[in-house]
Amino acid sequence: MHINHRLEVDLGDRSYPIYIGTELLGSGEIIKQHIHGRSALIVSNSTVAPLYLDAVQQVLDNAEIRRDEIILKDGEQYKTMASVESIIDLLLTRRHDRRTTLIALGGGVIGDIAGFAASIYQRGVNFIQVPTTLLSQVDSSVGGKTGVNHPLGKNMIGAFFQPQCVIADINTLNTLPARELSAGLAEVIKYGLICDAEFFKWLEDNMADLLKLDQDLLAQAVMVSCQDKAKVVEQDEREAGLRAILNLGHSFGHAIETVKGYGNWLHGEAVAAGMVMAIDLSIREGWIDEDVRQRTVALLQQAGLPVRPPEDISTGQYLETMSIDKKAVDGKINLVLLRAIGDAFVTADYNHDKLLQTLAP
Ligand code: NAD
Ligand code: GLY
């Protein structure tokens, strides 16, 4: 086991550490330290389990913790209440009590489902995030947003519920398909755009080596991303205001994901195209210069990401989907826009005609 970085998300009595390193999965030290009862349920999926379940099972066996596993089907389309119910059914059938711990072993889909199940089982049991995609290591495993999709909207059912710890083992990224690595890089680039101009520059300098899976650079990118996210979450855990900046590109992106059907455009791909749309509107408003678009498009393209939305989504479809998004309040669509690289803000005070121009296919 090698821990490159240990960060703390400082949320008072809900504080927790994020461990970032290599060979963390097979080492019992961290998991044991964060399991307080005598039982655990590992939640994983049919792709991740064959790769990494053994290692986690072994750790629990060595620690003499009674364990169960539930292996869900792989895919965003299974991020549903039905999956949550299957977890609850198993917990009850196998008589897990309030001191049990759920271990989310997988990407953001598994983390969101398992975290939500943990938040409602017997009014809340502990859970540990073991994110195995870049996207989940830099974003979804940190900050306590858990939940599932509804056919009428993404992430419409959920809860804020913080994990006991996050274990980000960089080695797991070695088996990740290139397209998924790119999707994670979209969220990494997002941090540079919203609050960290220095990191954006670092990414421009290091993207080629990140794509070659340089482990130290990946650990560094995960660390800075988590640090940036933690700083925002610590100030606004329940998204009363500031936290919404983490959603740069997401209003547009969620519309793309929803209209195209869950799973067709990856979340990170939709966010990449959505961030360019947010930049387009910010340029139309005169808040940023064209060079922000050029640098962002170049970096996203280098990371293997789309920089344009699909052509077959109408303005009406965007507006309809965006108006039921959680960031819409009283029918007004709040958007995250930019004043500069590293300086995002949330506003509903933009010109509606300019928004229509940005949305025009
Ligand atoms: P994902 O969980 O679907 O994982 C992507 C694919 O990679 C899946 O096929 C998965 O089985 C596979 N996989 C996972 N780890 C692997 C590994 N190490 N090797 C090989 N294959 C592996 O997708 P994701 O991008 O991790 O997460 C996207 C989800 O996260 C979306 O549902 C999104 O809404 C959610 N999300 C949540 C938050 C939050 O704050 N809770 C933030 C961002 C995104
Ligand atoms: N991914 C956005 C958030 O955690 O708030």
Side-chain angles (χ1 to χ4, degrees):
M1 170 175 88
H2 178 67
I3 299 175
N4 295 52
H5 309 280
R6 184 192 188 282
L7 304 174
E8 187 78 11
V9 184
D10 187 359
L11 291 169
D13 61 3
R14 294 176 310 291
S15 298
Y16 54 94
I18 303 171
Y19 303 93
I20 301 158
T22 50
E23 288 162 38
L24 304 186
L25 278 195
S27 155
E29 271 167 58
I30 301 174
I31 283 195
K32 274 191 304 195
Q33 201 183 321
H34 294 281
I35 289 187
H36 305 304
R38 301 305 316 152
S39 65
L41 170 69
I42 307 169
V43 182
S44 193
N45 74 18
S46 49
T47 304
V48 178
L51 298 166
Y52 302 113
L53 183 63
D54 267 358
V56 180
Q57 284 175 326
Q58 200 64 55
V59 164
L60 297 177
D61 289 349
N62 292 344
E64 296 182 357
I65 290 164
R66 178 174 78 90
R67 60 166 167 87
D68 285 303
E69 297 78 34
I70 183 162
I71 311 303
L72 302 174
K73 287 189 187 152
D74 185 6
E76 179 76 31
Q77 61 273 41
Y78 301 106
K79 196 171 126 176
T80 58
M81 283 304 291
S83 293
V84 172
E85 280 170 25
S86 66
I87 294 172
I88 306 282
D89 288 348
L90 193 136
L91 286 165
L92 284 170
T93 314
R94 296 281 298 154
R95 298 183 185 280
H96 283 255
D97 64 20
R98 294 180 63 192
R99 280 173 62 76
T100 201
T101 298
L102 268 61
I103 300 175
L105 174 66
V109 168
I110 288 295
D112 281 10
I113 299 172
F116 183 51
S119 79
I120 57 174
Y121 183 62
Q122 302 201 8
R123 299 202 177 83
V125 296
N126 287 345
F127 86 111
I128 291 175
Q129 289 274 19
V130 187
T132 61
T133 62
L134 181 61
L135 187 139
S136 56
Q137 294 184 351
V138 299
D139 190 358
S140 60
S141 64
V142 174
K145 279 190 183 176
T146 70
V148 293
N149 300 328
H150 183 278
L152 291 180
K154 206 176 137 55
N155 296 330
M156 280 292 146
I157 307 162
F160 287 99
F161 196 64
Q162 303 293 343
Q164 295 301 298
C165 70
V166 179
I167 304 173
D169 189 333
I170 299 299
N171 290 146
T172 61
L173 304 181
N174 292 334
T175 55
L176 199 61
R179 188 177 167 200
E180 297 290 350
L181 185 80
S182 294
L185 286 168
E187 300 281 6
V188 173
I189 293 167
K190 174 191 80 179
Y191 293 110
L193 283 171
I194 59 172
C195 63
D196 198 338
E198 200 184 311
F199 186 42
F200 190 91
K201 174 80 182 63
W202 183 89
L203 289 167
E204 289 179 316
D205 294 342
N206 290 287
M207 185 53 74
D209 292 321
L210 286 167
L211 290 165
K212 286 183 204 148
L213 298 179
D214 180 298
Q215 304 278 287
D216 287 338
L217 289 179
L218 278 172
Q220 176 79 8
V222 173
M223 188 273 286
V224 177
S225 301
C226 289
Q227 208 168 40
D228 285 342
K229 179 158 187 180
K231 269 189 223 150
V232 173
V233 171
E234 283 163 1
Q235 292 173 69
D236 180 21
E237 184 181 2
R238 290 184 162 249
E239 201 165 314
L242 176 73
R243 183 166 177 164
I245 66 165
L246 296 172
N247 291 320
L248 175 68
H250 284 55
S251 296
F252 301 109
H254 281 177
I256 295 171
E257 277 183 276
T258 306
V259 175
K260 297 304 286 180
Y262 298 140
N264 290 320
W265 269 60
L266 298 181
H267 178 72
E269 293 170 342
V271 166
M275 289 194 296
V276 180
M277 294 172 86
I279 287 172
D280 181 79
L281 182 52
S282 306
I283 293 172
R284 288 180 194 278
E285 287 286 0
W287 294 325
I288 51 172
D289 296 330
E290 180 60 33
D291 73 301
V292 174
R293 173 164 32 212
Q294 281 167 13
R295 284 178 69 187
T296 307
V297 163
L299 190 55
L300 291 170
Q301 281 179 327
Q302 196 188 359
L305 287 158
V307 292
R308 270 186 213 90
E311 282 174 7
D312 55 353
I313 302 183
S314 68
T315 304
Q317 282 174 309
Y318 274 115
L319 290 177
E320 192 188 333
T321 319
M322 288 163 74
S323 66
I324 67 159
D325 192 272
K326 292 187 291 315
K327 287 171 285 303
V329 178
D330 298 332
K332 257 181 130 179
I333 303 172
N334 277 316
L335 290 173
V336 186
L337 299 174
L338 287 188
R339 285 191 206 96
I341 289 180
D343 186 4
F345 67 111
V346 185
T347 182
D349 195 13
Y350 49 81
N351 182 301
H352 189 69
D353 289 339
K354 291 184 171 141
L355 171 63
L356 295 182
Q357 288 160 17
T358 293
L359 297 179

